Amino acid sequence: MVFDAIGERGHEQVSYFTDDETGLRAIAAIHDTTLGPSLGGTRLYDYETEEEALHDVLRLSHAMTYKAAATELPLGGGKAVVLGGPEVASPALFQAYGRAVDRLGGRYVTSVDVNTGAAEMDAIAEETEHVVGTSSGLENPSAITAHGVFRGIEACAEHVYGSASLDGRRVLVQGTGKVGTALAKQLLEAGAEVTVSDVDADRVERLVETQGVGSVAPEAVVDEECDVFAPCAIGGVVNDESLPRLSCDIVAGAANNVLAERRHAAALADRGILYAPDYVINAGGLITVYEEYAGGTREAALEKADRIGDRLSALIERAEDEGATVLDAADAYAEDRLAEKRERAAPV
Ligand code: NAD
C-alpha cells in the first residue's frame, strides 16, 4: 500500500525518521529533483493516522515540484511532516529532525510551514545547513508574496478589462494576516477600492481605521460583489457551495489550495471568472526562500516576484490558445520544463 501511494505520483524517495529520546516521528518526501534539490516546508501536524500524514506529504511535495518548475526556479519538489502537533514541539525534537534532514545530504532542503517558524528552523540549523527560513533569513517574505500577488492581479485585470490599472477596481481581500494586509496596502496605493474580511474582527477594525478600507463579514464574503476576489486566508474557498454565489470577474489571491477540487478551475472558467492558479501567483514565498538558499538578496527576490505578472499573462494566453484552463496551462508549462531538463540530461 505504501509503495502504491509513493509510486502513484512518481516520488523519488520517501524517508521515515524516528528518534527515541525526543519522540520524533517525521516523514520527508522528495518528489522530483530534476531541476534541483527539493525544497519545501516542514509541517507540524497532529494527523489522525499515519496514512493521512503520508497522503498529505505526498500531495504537498508533488505540488512543490510544479510550483518550483512553473516559477522557473532551479529547485525540485519536497515536503516533510512532523507528526504530533505543536504540543510535541521542542528545540531538542527539531534538532533531532535537523540531523534527519542532514542525512538526506542536501537532496531535501526544509523551511517553514503550518505550525513551524523561524524558531524551529533555527533549531534545525544547529544540525544541518539544508534549511532556510531561519531568523537570520531574508526579511518579511510575506511582503514579497503580496507583491507577486499584486502583479498577478494586475495581469488578470489587463486580460479581463484591457488595462492593468487597478485604479477604481473593487478588490475584496479575504484574510488580513501577513500577506492580506500587505496586499491591501499595495492595492490602496494603486487606487483600488479595497474591502477586507477576517474572522479576527480586531484585525479588520485596525485596517478599517488606519487605511480606510471597507469590510464585510466572513460568512458574506462569497456573496460580495467585486471585480477581484483575493483569497488570502484559507484553502477550499472555491467549492460547490460558494461557486454559484461568487460575484466577481477574477479570483486571484495568496491562499494555497484555493480550489476545493481541481474541477473547480473549469467550473470558474464556465462562469466567465478568470482564476489565477494559486501556486503561480503566490510563489513569492518560495522565491524568497530560494534566494536565501542561494545566498541572494531581498532585492533579488522582489525582482523575481515582480515577474509573476508576466508569467501569469503568458499562461493566460497559452490557456486561451489551447482552449484549456489557466491551471492546465500552468501544469503543462511546469511539465514542459521538467521534460526539457530530462531530455538535456539524458545520455545520447
Ligand atoms: P496569516 O496566518 O498571517 O493570516 C491568515 C489570516 O486569515 C488571519 O488573519 C486569519 O484570522 C484569517 N482567517 C482564517 N480563517 C479565515 C476565514 N475563514 N475567513 C476569513 N479570514 C480567515 O497567513 P499569511 O501568511 O498571511 O498567509 C495567507 C495565505 O497565503 C495562507 O493560505 C498561506 O498558506 C498562503 N501563503 C502565504 C505565503 C507567505 O509568504 N506568507 C506564501 C504563499 C502562500
Side-chain angles (χ1 to χ4, degrees):
M1 174 263 162
V2 172
F3 279 111
D4 287 345
I6 294 171
E8 200 182 341
R9 293 188 182 89
H11 277 76
E12 287 179 16
Q13 179 181 356
V14 177
S15 306
Y16 283 67
F17 299 104
T18 59
D19 178 68
D20 277 352
E21 222 163 276
T22 59
L24 171 75
R25 290 187 308 148
I27 313 173
I30 297 174
H31 175 250
D32 192 294
T33 56
T34 303
L35 297 171
S38 69
L39 194 154
T42 293
R43 181 165 294 197
L44 173 65
Y45 198 76
D46 192 10
Y47 293 97
E48 298 257 317
T49 63
E50 289 171 21
E51 286 72 30
E52 199 189 311
L54 176 64
H55 175 78
D56 210 26
V57 79
L58 292 175
R59 179 179 68 85
L60 294 165
S61 53
H62 175 256
M64 289 307 293
T65 297
Y66 279 75
K67 188 169 187 165
T71 310
E72 293 167 17
L73 294 171
L75 292 174
K79 202 90 182 185
V81 291
V82 171
L83 285 72
E87 53 287 351
V88 307
S90 68
L93 179 128
F94 278 98
Q95 282 164 5
Y97 174 66
R99 290 192 288 279
V101 169
D102 199 59
R103 289 200 288 275
L104 295 172
R107 278 171 45 75
Y108 170 63
V109 180
T110 197
S111 184
V112 298
D113 200 79
V114 173
N115 291 330
T116 60
E120 286 73 30
M121 298 308 119
D122 286 349
I124 295 168
E126 287 181 34
E127 305 290 339
T128 182
E129 62 188 35
H130 307 303
V131 56
V132 285
T134 62
S135 54
S136 55
L138 298 184
E139 223 177 280
N140 199 358
S142 304
I144 297 174
T145 303
H147 183 68
V149 173
F150 177 80
R151 287 288 185 235
I153 293 175
E154 282 185 327
C156 292
E158 167 99 66
H159 186 77
V160 172
Y161 306 116
S163 163
S165 168
L166 298 176
D167 195 11
R169 294 273 165 233
R170 296 164 304 165
V171 186
L172 171 58
V173 180
Q174 181 190 39
T176 55
K178 296 181 286 295
V179 182
T181 297
L183 176 64
K185 288 180 183 167
Q186 200 166 351
L187 288 164
L188 287 169
E189 280 167 22
E193 213 179 279
V194 178
T195 304
V196 301
S197 183
D198 200 298
V199 287
D200 184 333
D202 291 343
R203 284 190 173 166
V204 171
E205 205 176 297
R206 249 195 324 271
L207 268 181
V208 170
E209 277 172 14
T210 60
Q211 307 292 325
V213 297
S215 69
V216 58
E219 59 281 6
V221 160
V222 292
D223 299 307
E224 182 75 4
E225 209 179 297
C226 57
D227 299 317
V228 182
F229 172 41
C232 297
I234 46 161
V237 287
V238 175
N239 52 46
D240 287 339
E241 200 259 325
S242 67
L243 216 138
R245 290 161 55 191
L246 286 175
S247 181
C248 59
D249 300 320
I250 295 164
V251 174
N256 281 312
N257 306 318
V258 166
L259 308 177
E261 290 176 50
R262 190 184 172 86
R263 65 185 167 84
H264 293 124
L268 280 170
D270 287 346
R271 283 212 48 209
I273 299 173
L274 177 60
Y275 168 63
D278 45 10
Y279 74 81
V280 175
I281 195 169
N282 75 12
L286 179 62
I287 287 170
T288 310
V289 287
Y290 165 71
E291 282 302 331
E292 182 186 337
Y293 168 73
T297 60
R298 191 169 195 281
E299 289 63 40
L302 206 52
E303 200 232 314
K304 283 197 175 73
D306 205 54
R307 282 187 243 137
I308 285 176
D310 290 343
R311 189 168 300 122
L312 188 56
S313 291
L315 293 173
I316 294 170
E317 277 166 30
R318 177 172 179 162
E320 277 199 338
D321 290 347
E322 295 177 355
T325 65
V326 188
L327 180 58
D328 285 337
D331 283 2
Y333 179 67
E335 282 160 12
D336 288 350
R337 283 203 71 226
L338 288 160
E340 265 167 38
K341 183 72 193 283
R342 284 189 194 116
E343 217 164 277
R344 267 186 276 134
V348 272

